[in-house]
Amino acid sequence: MNIHEYQSKMILKGFGLPVPRGDVAASPPAARTVAERLAAEGVPAFVVKAQIHAGGRGKAGGIRRADTLDAVETIARQLLGHRLVTPQTGPEGKLVRRVLVEEAVSIAAEYYVAVLIDRSLQKPIVIASPAGGMDIEEVAAQRPEAIFREVLWDLDRLHPYQARRLGLRMGLQGPLLAEFGRIVQGLVEAFWRCDAMLVEINPLVRLTDDRWLLLDAKVVLDDNALYRHPDLAALRDVGEEDPLEVEATQARLSYIRLDGDIGCMVNGAGLAMATMDMIQWAGGRPANFLDVGGGASPEQVAQAFRILMADPRVKAVLINIFGGILRCDRLATGIVTAAREVGVRVPMVIRLEGTNVEEGRRILAESGLNFTVAYDMEEAARKVVELAGRQRS
Ligand code: ADP
Ligand code: MG
């Protein structure tokens, strides 16, 4: 689960990490009020930051400096209610509903620090780079020697010697080195205690007075662990998420939108992956990953069907079900119910195998629905790719 920068900073502050003074606002007057409060604490200048679930805001005009209270309000008015397009949002951009108003600080140097999972090592790692404030993928491509790693061998902690080694590689010494180490260890603790998948600080800055601040923060939480953190689960902002994905989550379906045009409904994650591979192999591109699960009810199947049909990009649908716990007759009933309700606007290929398959095929055949039957995966993939191609032309 993604959360906003202001929420990430709030969490990290709770772990004793230094973040800029500031607060979030949903309207221009509220933004001004935040700035007034900061001014009363002696803050002379401000930064107004668009809060969307995407980075790259700085270059896109979503991070703006304001030297007066009027400027804060004006900039907030320019950002709020408008869409911000960054390299990470796609061309349609994301609607800005909130801004973070914080103190403008004077930066001496920007660094990059992240804690994340290294899937090949099956361990969390810390990545740090003195090339902060830039797109880290770009740094990795152009100056891989400027990126340093430490592995969390004990999972939940970075040893002091590792933190020190990272700091030395950043070119730090003395008190700056010690404080950098404490910050990195604090980030690791936050990562572990929140069941995060990513804690990324870009940039972590050294100020001209030698203090450290987390100037930007991105925390990604593990959905599968949210049940342990009701306080963190409450940070979910469904307004930022794909509406079809939200609907799928509510129906307890695993659904991820992809960028192709062949809708898939499959039971079991392994079969779903294999089905997507087969579509790709046959020359098509899947519009989604959708696993209705081993024990799906006819209602869940119907809901899955509605979600597929609600995606305007879908040109053809492949339903590939191995009936085990989810028997083929129950599946067929779910499909027929949903198809009658929402209609079938694109060609559909169905491949059923397993428990009660004859009964399932009979229900589909007698439904009067228009669909193509396939008997194995290769045939199913070829047929759906061909049908999607015809729809496109
Ligand atoms: P993004 O990564 O989405 O572009 P950041 O929060 O990293 O957004 O901000 C982009 C840049 O703006 C930072 O690298 C930093 O140079 C500058 N910046 C951000 N917040 C402040 C602040 N409070 N004071 C001064 N400069 C800031
Ligand atoms: Mg950033």
Side-chain angles (χ1 to χ4, degrees), residues 57 202-203 216:
R57 298 162 301 165
N202 190 21
D216 189 8

Side-chain angles (χ1 to χ4, degrees), residues 6-56:
Y6 78 92
Q7 297 168 320
S8 301
K9 284 179 167 169
M10 196 179 66
I11 293 174
L12 295 170
K13 191 179 175 189
F15 285 90
L17 290 157
V19 300
R21 284 175 285 177
D23 210 346
V24 71
S27 71
R32 187 191 183 96
T33 307
V34 173
E36 276 167 4
R37 268 205 311 271
L38 292 171
E41 292 177 29
V43 170
F46 317 93
V47 172
V48 183
K49 312 182 78 175
Q51 298 298 289
I52 53 172
H53 284 187

Side-chain angles (χ1 to χ4, degrees), residues 54-377:
R57 298 162 301 165
K59 286 186 201 125
I63 309 286
R64 310 255 293 273
R65 190 186 161 95
D67 289 309
T68 64
L69 297 176
D70 286 340
V72 168
E73 195 169 335
T74 306
I75 292 169
R77 186 160 285 121
Q78 287 163 359
L79 292 174
L80 287 164
H82 293 94
R83 301 189 83 86
L84 186 64
V85 181
T86 85
Q88 297 181 17
T89 59
E92 70 285 358
K94 282 196 160 252
L95 183 64
V96 181
R97 295 185 181 86
R98 290 186 202 84
V99 291
L100 173 61
V101 180
E102 60 181 28
E103 57 179 321
V105 295
S106 47
I107 301 168
E110 305 198 0
Y111 300 82
Y112 176 95
V113 182
V115 190
L116 65 157
I117 306 281
D118 182 314
R119 289 179 189 277
S120 55
L121 285 173
Q122 303 179 15
K123 294 270 189 298
I125 58 169
V126 177
I127 292 182
S129 173
M134 299 159 57
D135 182 5
I136 195 67
E137 279 82 17
E138 219 168 278
V139 179
Q142 285 165 15
R143 294 175 54 204
E145 72 287 352
I147 295 182
F148 304 99
R149 307 186 330 155
E150 290 290 341
V151 178
L152 304 187
W153 300 110
D154 299 334
L155 301 182
D156 64 340
R157 84 193 111 157
L158 185 71
H159 291 290
Y161 81 87
Q162 293 181 297
R164 191 177 156 76
R165 184 159 64 190
L166 271 183
L168 287 170
R169 286 170 169 168
M170 300 293 107
L172 302 169
Q173 44 188 313
L176 280 172
L177 174 64
E179 190 52 25
F180 175 84
R182 273 193 289 277
I183 287 176
V184 177
Q185 287 182 298
L187 294 172
V188 167
E189 191 194 355
F191 173 87
W192 184 256
R193 296 253 302 268
C194 295
D195 287 312
M197 292 167 66
L198 172 71
V199 172
E200 183 183 58
I201 311 303
N202 190 21
L204 167 67
V205 297
R206 178 163 61 76
L207 302 181
T208 44
D209 63 5
D210 275 357
R211 282 185 302 132
W212 288 101
L213 272 188
L214 279 51
L215 213 53
D216 189 8
K218 177 178 181 182
V219 173
V220 179
L221 299 163
D222 185 347
D223 287 295
N224 293 315
L226 281 178
Y227 74 96
R228 303 206 282 209
H229 306 281
D231 51 331
L232 299 180
L235 300 179
R236 169 156 258 145
D237 181 352
V238 291
E240 290 283 326
E241 298 179 5
D242 183 311
L244 292 179
E245 290 191 2
V246 173
E247 217 177 294
T249 307
Q250 279 158 2
R252 284 177 295 112
L253 302 165
S254 304
Y255 172 80
I256 296 160
R257 258 181 107 161
L258 303 169
D259 49 19
D261 61 8
I262 298 178
C264 313
M265 187 201 305
V266 190
N267 65 331
L271 188 59
M273 297 295 282
T275 306
M276 291 180 359
D277 280 350
M278 288 300 282
I279 290 172
Q280 202 97 27
W281 171 82
R285 287 170 61 73
N288 64 278
F289 169 95
L290 171 54
D291 170 15
V292 296
S297 65
E299 293 72 37
Q300 278 175 302
V301 169
Q303 184 63 15
F305 191 84
R306 277 184 220 110
I307 289 169
L308 284 184
M309 289 299 156
D311 184 345
R313 301 162 316 159
V314 167
K315 298 272 185 296
V317 168
L318 172 55
I319 298 178
N320 186 16
I321 301 285
F322 182 78
I325 303 170
L326 167 61
R327 301 183 328 245
C328 293
D329 54 323
R330 282 162 64 87
L331 171 94
T333 308
I335 293 174
V336 172
T337 311
R340 292 225 171 95
E341 193 188 306
V342 298
V344 185
R345 55 168 187 85
V346 295
M348 208 166 38
V349 176
I350 303 182
R351 180 214 170 213
L352 293 183
E353 212 46 80
T355 312
N356 294 0
V357 63
E358 294 309 329
E359 178 67 4
R361 290 203 181 115
R362 190 187 58 76
I363 292 170
L364 288 170
E366 288 173 4
S367 69
L369 289 173
N370 182 18
F371 58 89
T372 307
V373 176
Y375 291 90
D376 66 43
M377 275 179 61

